[in-house]
Amino acid sequence: MDPPPHPSDEFRNWLELPRDLTKSILLRLGAVEILTSAQMVCSPWRKLCKDPSMWRTVHMCKPLSHWDISDLEKMCRQAVDRSCGQLVDICIKYFGDDELLMHIADSSSQLKRLRLVSVYDISDEGLSEVAAKLPLLEELDITLCCSLSKEALKAMGRCCPHLKSFKYNEKGYRTPYMECNEVALAIAENMPRLRHLQLFGNNLTNDGLQAILDGCPHLESLDLRQCFSVKLTGNLERRCAQQIKNLRLPHDSTDDYEFGAELDGYGSFDDDYPSGSSDIDHLSHSDYYEFSDGSNFSDLYDSDYDYDDYYDRNQNVNYGDFYLD
């Protein structure tokens, strides 16, 4: 009988995995994890983590309260820079401003999906300028952000003619505090190719809904949950049923809505999301990263630095503090 295999024989050498398989594994990590840990494992991983194709999608959407806002913005910029113009999908949450958004637009002419969640420092002017640089944009999600004027939304529609999906989600209210169709009219007049529209918590009325149905003839799905100024009756109700394949009504369940949707008696609901956090991570094309406390990994990121030699000399170094939960 053959002797049992030695325990050491049961372990695979991760460095021997095919490159495509290693890439697939690393793509399942967040950008912060890549920046602070994965790319420091060994030279081959570090080289792979610098491949622009690793950064076609950049999602910084998880709450990471232990990160400083300025660090998150630096990491986002570095992730965008690493894509070398190949970025097609980005999501940022709890941080960001006009300057960061402009950097994304200037570096990402191929961008097709932009998602902004709880980003309160983006202005009408900033969004309008960015729109002109994103002619290929197909999906736009603006959720729980600062209120934008109809002019900014018109600019997005005019400058992004391929826009097929638009989400403009606000806080819901138990009773309508004001009826306004500015957003609805901006959509109806400037986004004719829309197929999917979500207006959670919007204060449009039946007139605004009618305008959307007229101006967006290709619309397939429409989410009007907590749009309590809309009263679907008669001809409008029949038209929605005929034209829209997937319709969510104002009083429909919000159980599958990914954000807090509880209403209070005064017309607002609690925002349970902390400030400053995310799921994405990164190094800049210059391979230099300085944290808000003044520390940095610049010696590790030096392109001429022998990381394998560093690792051999520092096997007892604990990198646990740099891993994400």
Side-chain angles (χ1 to χ4, degrees):
M1 179 180 293
D2 293 335
H6 191 276
S8 61
D9 295 335
E10 299 179 3
F11 295 96
R12 293 288 304 274
N13 185 344
W14 283 57
L15 296 181
E16 295 177 354
L17 292 176
R19 186 178 187 277
D20 288 346
L21 181 56
T22 301
K23 180 179 178 180
S24 178
I25 293 171
L26 292 175
L27 283 172
R28 287 165 170 75
L29 300 177
V32 173
E33 291 170 311
I34 293 177
L35 172 62
T36 59
S37 57
Q39 72 169 7
M40 295 191 292
V41 169
C42 58
S43 296
W45 279 27
R46 171 172 165 70
K47 182 178 180 180
L48 182 57
C49 289
K50 295 171 67 178
D51 186 337
S53 66
M54 290 284 293
W55 308 108
R56 288 171 57 82
T57 296
V58 172
H59 285 181
M60 300 184 69
C61 306
K62 277 187 180 177
L64 298 175
S65 57
H66 55 283
W67 286 104
D68 184 85
I69 291 293
S70 61
D71 289 337
L72 292 170
E73 291 180 349
K74 289 178 182 178
M75 287 189 282
C76 184
R77 286 173 177 269
Q78 292 159 356
V80 171
D81 291 342
R82 281 220 173 171
S83 74
C84 297
Q86 296 187 28
L87 183 66
V88 296
D89 180 352
I90 188 167
C91 172
I92 58 177
K93 188 174 184 179
Y94 305 129
F95 71 94
D97 54 21
D98 288 348
E99 187 176 350
L100 176 62
L101 199 57
M102 184 58 68
H103 181 77
I104 293 171
D106 284 337
S107 308
S108 314
S109 61
Q110 304 300 311
L111 195 68
K112 293 186 177 181
R113 185 176 188 231
L114 173 62
R115 190 180 190 205
L116 308 173
V117 181
S118 297
V119 180
Y120 298 104
D121 293 324
I122 291 180
S123 67
D124 289 333
E125 294 77 10
L127 190 63
S128 297
E129 291 182 21
V130 163
K133 298 176 181 289
L134 301 176
L136 300 183
L137 196 68
E138 296 181 0
E139 299 181 40
L140 176 62
D141 182 343
I142 302 175
T143 293
L144 299 178
C145 296
C146 55
S147 295
L148 297 170
S149 73
K150 61 180 180 180
E151 299 305 325
L153 299 180
K154 286 181 178 179
M156 292 301 303
R158 290 194 303 266
C159 298
C160 306
H162 301 288
L163 200 61
K164 297 177 182 179
S165 176
F166 181 45
K167 296 182 180 181
Y168 188 66
N169 300 323
E170 303 177 273
K171 297 182 177 181
Y173 297 88
R174 189 177 301 279
T175 56
Y177 69 104
M178 181 174 61
E179 296 179 346
C180 180
N181 287 310
E182 283 193 352
V183 170
L185 294 178
I187 293 171
E189 296 169 2
N190 298 278
M191 302 181 185
R193 294 190 179 184
L194 281 186
R195 295 186 180 274
H196 309 283
L197 176 61
Q198 185 176 66
L199 292 174
F200 194 100
N202 194 270
N203 50 12
L204 81 162
T205 68
N206 284 13
D207 290 338
L209 175 56
Q210 183 73 51
I212 289 174
L213 295 175
D214 291 339
C216 306
H218 305 292
L219 205 58
E220 299 174 3
S221 68
L222 177 61
D223 190 343
L224 298 173
R225 282 177 292 177
Q226 296 195 1
C227 297
F228 297 123
S229 293
V230 171
K231 311 296 181 184
L232 281 182
T233 59
N235 291 334
L236 185 58
E237 181 180 21
R238 286 191 292 272
R239 182 174 179 186
C240 284
Q242 294 172 355
Q243 183 172 339
I244 308 299
K245 295 179 181 179
N246 184 8
L247 179 64
R248 306 297 295 272
L249 301 176
H251 292 278
D252 281 357
S253 171
T254 59
D255 289 346
D256 62 343
Y257 186 63
E258 62 181 302
F259 308 101
E262 293 184 3
L263 302 167
D264 65 28
Y266 295 96
S268 65
F269 68 90
D270 294 333
D271 186 353
D272 296 328
Y273 302 97
S275 61
S277 54
S278 170
D279 174 355
I280 212 160
D281 334 307
H282 253 99
L283 261 186
S284 71
H285 61 249
S286 63
D287 297 327
Y288 175 80
Y289 189 87
E290 179 176 335
F291 291 95
S292 57
D293 62 1
S295 62
N296 64 71
F297 295 134
S298 58
D299 55 344
L300 298 183
Y301 295 164
D302 191 320
S303 59
D304 296 325
Y305 192 84
D306 187 347
Y307 181 78
D308 293 333
D309 177 66
Y310 177 89
Y311 184 83
D312 290 338
R313 290 185 288 104
N314 296 272
Q315 294 186 34
N316 295 323
V317 174
N318 181 7
Y319 290 100
D321 291 340
F322 300 113
Y323 281 80
L324 303 182
D325 295 333

